[in-house]
């Protein structure tokens, strides 16, 4: 059995949607029972068709939110081109026209992801750089910990200042991503 990460992702989403429906529509349910009988797994194309069917059934009933975090962590260069396949799946879903489907992608600003999504989804794509907000949150956390933290609030002001500087510099180093090209 050759199971790709796309198939695993699709199965996970289908299970979640099936659970919220209280089961699958009859045509999908009977196909899954038949596959199980013969120890088969539906291929990617079939799983995508199932997903579209379920999303269509849900369109007038409830909103569906799909959150994919770490898109940049899917290997860019792999033998089976998983990242490319995932980006294609996201494009298909976003272009499906289903009014109840909302997709949130979280990723580092990488060229292939940016190009793929901008090229086809520029009218609905919203880019947000979270680095500035993250820096503010980190500074606030450090300040609160320095004022009220056990064993830290009693330290000399000069030492707390050095600690604060070191922590904020370290946070900046890890929170910055490459700017758009």
């Amino acid at each position: 059995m050759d199971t790709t990460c796309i198939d695993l992702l699709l199965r996970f989403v289908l299970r979640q949607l099936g659970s919220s429906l209280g089961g699958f529509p009859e045509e999908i349910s009977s196909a899954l029972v038949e596959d199980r009988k013969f120890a088969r797994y539906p291929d990617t194309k079939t799983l995508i068709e199932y997903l579209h069917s379920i999303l269509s059934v849900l369109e007038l009933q409830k909103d569906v939110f799909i959150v994919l975090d770490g898109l940049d962590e899917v290997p860019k260069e792999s033998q089976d081109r998983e990242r490319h396949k995932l980006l294609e799946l996201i494009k298909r879903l976003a272009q499906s026209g289903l009014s109840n489907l909302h997709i949130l992608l979280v990723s580092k600003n990488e060229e292939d992801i940016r190009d793929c999504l901008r090229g086809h989804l520029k009218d609905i794509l919203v880019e947000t750089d979270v680095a500035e907000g993250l820096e503010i949150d980190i500074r606030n956390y450090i300040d609160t910990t320095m004022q009220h933290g056990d064993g830290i609030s009693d330290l000399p002001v000069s030492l707390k200042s050095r600690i604060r500087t070191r922590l904020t510099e370290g946070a900046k180093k890890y929170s910055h991503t490459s700017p758009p090209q």
Side-chain angles (χ1 to χ4, degrees), residues 143-170:
D143 289 342
T144 301
T145 302
M146 291 294 181
Q147 290 173 6
H148 308 291
D150 286 339
I152 294 177
S153 59
D154 299 333
L155 294 174
V157 174
S158 62
L159 180 56
K160 286 197 286 191
S161 177
R162 287 195 338 236
I163 292 170
R164 180 180 289 110
T165 301
R166 187 79 179 261
L167 289 172
T168 52
E169 285 174 3

Side-chain angles (χ1 to χ4, degrees), residues 1-180:
M1 174 184 72
D2 182 27
T3 302
T4 66
C5 79
I6 303 297
D7 292 350
L8 294 173
L9 174 67
L10 286 166
R11 286 190 198 134
F12 174 77
V13 171
L14 287 168
R15 273 194 297 275
Q16 295 298 312
L17 293 173
S19 172
S20 74
L21 278 173
F24 293 110
E26 180 55 37
E27 69 275 3
I28 295 173
S29 185
S30 59
L32 290 172
V33 167
E34 189 69 16
D35 282 340
R36 212 173 293 128
K37 241 191 261 183
F38 296 102
R40 294 184 307 218
Y41 289 98
D43 62 7
T44 305
K45 183 179 180 213
T46 304
L47 291 169
I48 291 171
E49 289 169 5
Y50 290 168
L51 181 59
H52 277 278
S53 294
I54 292 173
L55 290 172
S56 295
V57 167
L58 286 171
E59 187 168 17
L60 300 175
Q61 298 175 19
K62 57 174 77 174
D63 284 320
V64 174
F65 294 86
I66 297 176
V67 179
L68 297 173
D69 185 12
L71 188 57
D72 56 291
E73 294 176 23
V74 176
K76 186 188 233 177
E77 303 297 328
S78 65
Q79 187 174 1
D80 46 10
R81 303 183 65 216
E82 288 294 325
R83 183 139 124 188
H84 176 75
K85 290 177 187 176
L86 182 56
L87 289 170
E88 290 300 315
L89 172 63
I90 292 165
K91 280 193 313 192
R92 280 183 68 180
L93 289 173
Q95 294 171 332
S96 67
L98 295 167
S99 61
N100 65 325
L101 179 60
H102 312 279
I103 303 171
L104 173 64
L105 304 174
V106 180
S107 176
K108 288 181 182 170
N109 188 3
E110 293 194 4
E111 186 176 0
D112 65 317
I113 296 169
R114 192 175 57 246
D115 290 348
C116 179
L117 298 178
R118 275 191 187 155
H120 300 277
L121 306 174
K122 64 179 179 258
D123 296 335
I124 60 172
L125 184 65
V126 177
E127 291 182 66
T128 304
D129 184 358
V130 298
E132 184 179 321
L134 184 61
E135 285 179 34
I136 292 169
D137 287 345
I138 290 171
R139 267 198 314 270
N140 288 340
Y141 176 78
I142 290 170
D143 289 342
T144 301
T145 302
M146 291 294 181
Q147 290 173 6
H148 308 291
D150 286 339
I152 294 177
S153 59
D154 299 333
L155 294 174
V157 174
S158 62
L159 180 56
K160 286 197 286 191
S161 177
R162 287 195 338 236
I163 292 170
R164 180 180 289 110
T165 301
R166 187 79 179 261
L167 289 172
T168 52
E169 285 174 3
K172 285 179 187 175
K173 181 170 46 171
Y174 290 106
S175 69
H176 288 289
T177 59
S178 59

